[in-house]
Amino acid sequence: MTLYLGNLINFDELQTKYEKRIKVRFNTDWKTTGSGVLHSFQEMYFNDNKLMHDWINTPYSEKRSRQFANELVLQFIELDPHQWLFVDAVSVGVKEGHKFTDSVEPEIYKDLWVTEGESVAELEPYKDRLIVNKKNSRQNWFYTNRDIIDTIAVQQILPASYKNIENKFPGFDNVSRSYKELSLVINQPEWK
């Protein structure tokens, strides 16, 4: 039997309490046109939560606005194709709250707006632990349609934070990671 997001989270109750539209946002990695520099949400998650927080709460893209003050936004980052980790839920209060400059490419991404809001306490137990399965196209990376949101399949709820589970050192004989994966954990105390 499949468990769906709508079975796990009472979205009607959240909508009534916060009086906001529910939005589920799937944040995907991207390469900057021209430089080809990869911006990895998974890397930001492991190394710089502040940078990840700013990027996932940026209200503007090149083509359109993507986050509004009348929304309660659930944020996911991609772990593997079709696997998404729930990293935050924010009740947006101010669309243009503060500005940030990207530490990876400050000359290209500078003075970008970040929405400000309050964390949604009801969803804190799932933060960094809930993994959903959703085939996402590049054209659709956020959803407000409850028929879609309610039927997103829950893959698993981890016993602890994904960051802690993924960072456990498996022993010298059991290390089998790509360079990219290893670069995400090599500076963690357990790996040193």
Side-chain angles (χ1 to χ4, degrees):
M1 182 176 162
T2 303
L3 177 65
Y4 296 103
L5 208 52
N7 303 124
L8 184 67
I9 299 170
N10 188 335
F11 288 116
D12 291 331
E13 190 175 284
L14 288 175
Q15 236 170 344
T16 301
K17 178 180 177 182
Y18 290 91
E19 297 179 349
K20 296 192 176 200
R21 175 174 79 162
I22 304 291
K23 178 183 276 184
V24 174
R25 188 166 156 186
F26 294 98
N27 297 282
T28 57
D29 299 346
W30 80 98
K31 284 187 178 180
T32 302
T33 307
S35 72
V37 172
L38 175 67
H39 293 263
S40 165
F41 280 104
Q42 214 173 129
E43 189 174 319
M44 286 184 250
Y45 174 76
F46 280 112
N47 296 322
D48 191 349
N49 265 345
K50 172 81 171 98
L51 180 61
M52 183 193 74
H53 175 271
D54 286 345
W55 269 118
I56 66 176
N57 288 296
T58 318
Y60 302 107
S61 70
E62 293 174 8
K63 298 179 183 175
R64 62 180 165 177
S65 193
R66 56 187 180 190
Q67 211 154 285
F68 300 94
N70 69 334
E71 294 176 330
L72 189 150
V73 185
L74 281 72
Q75 301 280 7
F76 289 84
I77 62 169
E78 191 171 28
L79 301 176
D80 285 313
H82 317 306
Q83 284 188 342
W84 303 87
L85 176 67
F86 172 62
V87 293
D88 205 6
V90 176
S91 173
V92 179
V94 180
K95 182 176 179 178
E96 295 176 344
H98 70 274
K99 289 186 176 185
F100 85 102
T101 296
D102 181 46
S103 59
V104 179
E105 290 189 292
E107 65 285 352
I108 296 173
Y109 300 109
K110 60 184 170 215
D111 294 328
L112 302 172
W113 285 108
V114 178
T115 59
E116 290 182 0
E118 296 179 14
S119 288
V120 179
E122 295 87 344
L123 300 178
E124 281 294 316
Y126 301 116
K127 188 175 175 181
D128 300 322
R129 296 178 52 229
L130 172 64
I131 298 174
V132 299
N133 190 305
K134 175 76 177 123
K135 186 173 183 177
N136 205 38
S137 70
R138 291 282 177 201
Q139 291 78 29
N140 292 326
W141 43 268
F142 68 81
Y143 299 92
T144 56
N145 182 332
R146 283 286 303 280
D147 292 335
I148 295 171
I149 293 170
D150 287 346
T151 59
I152 295 171
V154 172
Q155 183 171 322
Q156 65 180 344
I157 300 172
L158 301 170
S161 166
Y162 179 77
K163 193 178 286 189
N164 294 337
I165 289 172
E166 281 297 302
N167 282 342
K168 279 194 161 268
F169 181 67
F172 291 105
D173 295 337
N174 299 314
V175 174
S176 178
R177 294 190 179 210
S178 68
Y179 177 79
K180 180 183 173 193
E181 291 169 331
L182 192 58
S183 69
L184 295 175
V185 295
I186 198 67
N187 291 320
Q188 300 297 323
E190 193 173 330
W191 284 78
K192 282 184 179 180

